[in-house]
Amino acid sequence: MIKKKVVVAVTGASGSIYAKVLFDKLIELQDQIEAVGVVMSDNAKEVWKFELGNQHYADFSDFTFFGKNDFNAPFASGSAKYDTMIIVPCSMGTLGRIAHGISNDLISRAADVILKERRKLIAVVRDTPFSLIHINNMKTVTEAGGIICPANPSFYSLPKTIEEVAGTVISRMLDLAGFEQQSYRWQEK
């Protein structure tokens, strides 16, 4: 099995629980991963602290964290061969910058690199309702090869906790990223 090099970007949209559950799942999937690089916006850190009541993102020592303006991060260049980028949650501001090629920070630069190299970009968008600007930006990113995976949980697995609800989105996203994982499958035993 070829191990994945993954970039995880966390933006300031509401939904820090999705990033936390993703981090936990990536630790479980370590045998499929060569490297995980993480970049968080300043707002992402504030939202995490507000929504989750902690700063435990700093406890994920299995990952390499990069500053939001660290253009020396390996995934700021296509030559580093990071094959997947997951933006979770993805704010509409971040999506708009990506859709229009504005690489003004490491998140938007990494997304630009992933798209230009024809690799996998998954944006877990969080805002609702969508304006026509949001919809057009989602269309543009999709046409450029990205995958829009709205943070819409499913309930047919009968989740019992908020983490299990968030996990339905993260499991779907990990499937889209090509990870082998155990998760609920509709009508499978």
Side-chain angles (χ1 to χ4, degrees):
M1 170 193 324
I2 297 173
K3 292 188 173 191
K4 296 184 177 305
K5 291 172 81 174
V6 181
V7 180
V8 177
V10 185
T11 74
S14 179
S16 298
I17 188 71
Y18 292 110
K20 187 224 178 277
V21 171
L22 174 61
F23 288 169
D24 291 338
K25 291 294 267 180
L26 289 175
I27 289 170
E28 291 176 20
L29 300 171
Q30 284 181 62
D31 60 328
Q32 299 177 50
I33 298 171
E34 180 179 334
V36 175
V38 178
V39 58
M40 296 179 72
S41 71
D42 293 338
N43 286 343
K45 293 173 184 177
E46 290 300 315
V47 172
W48 182 300
K49 187 176 175 183
F50 178 78
E51 291 182 346
L52 302 180
N54 61 56
Q55 294 176 308
H56 291 175
Y57 56 83
D59 297 341
F60 289 94
S61 60
D62 295 308
F63 312 141
T64 304
F65 283 75
F66 295 89
K68 67 178 183 164
N69 292 314
D70 185 356
F71 288 93
N72 289 315
F75 47 84
S77 170
S79 65
K81 293 201 174 225
Y82 276 72
D83 49 74
T84 305
M85 181 174 185
I86 300 162
I87 308 172
V88 60
C90 182
S91 69
M92 288 301 165
T94 299
L95 187 73
R97 287 185 294 282
I98 293 165
H100 295 280
I102 300 169
S103 297
N104 65 336
D105 63 9
L106 184 55
I107 294 172
S108 53
R109 171 60 188 165
D112 189 48
V113 166
I114 291 289
L115 290 174
K116 81 178 182 68
E117 298 289 334
R118 306 294 193 263
R119 297 181 185 145
K120 195 168 284 192
L121 172 69
I122 302 169
V124 181
V125 296
R126 236 297 299 135
D127 289 329
T128 188
F130 299 135
S131 73
L132 184 56
I133 293 168
H134 300 154
I135 292 166
N136 285 331
N137 287 338
M138 286 188 273
K139 177 180 181 274
T140 298
V141 169
T142 300
E143 289 173 340
I147 298 170
I148 304 300
C149 180
N152 296 337
S154 62
F155 295 94
Y156 42 68
S157 63
L158 306 176
K160 306 274 187 283
T161 67
I162 191 166
E163 286 201 359
E164 288 177 358
V165 170
T168 66
V169 172
I170 297 308
S171 289
R172 183 69 178 113
M173 188 232 34
L174 288 169
D175 281 348
L176 292 169
F179 284 96
E180 294 296 324
Q181 61 168 332
Q182 294 292 321
S183 67
Y184 181 85
R185 306 286 177 199
W186 178 249
Q187 297 298 326
E188 289 184 11
K189 295 182 182 191

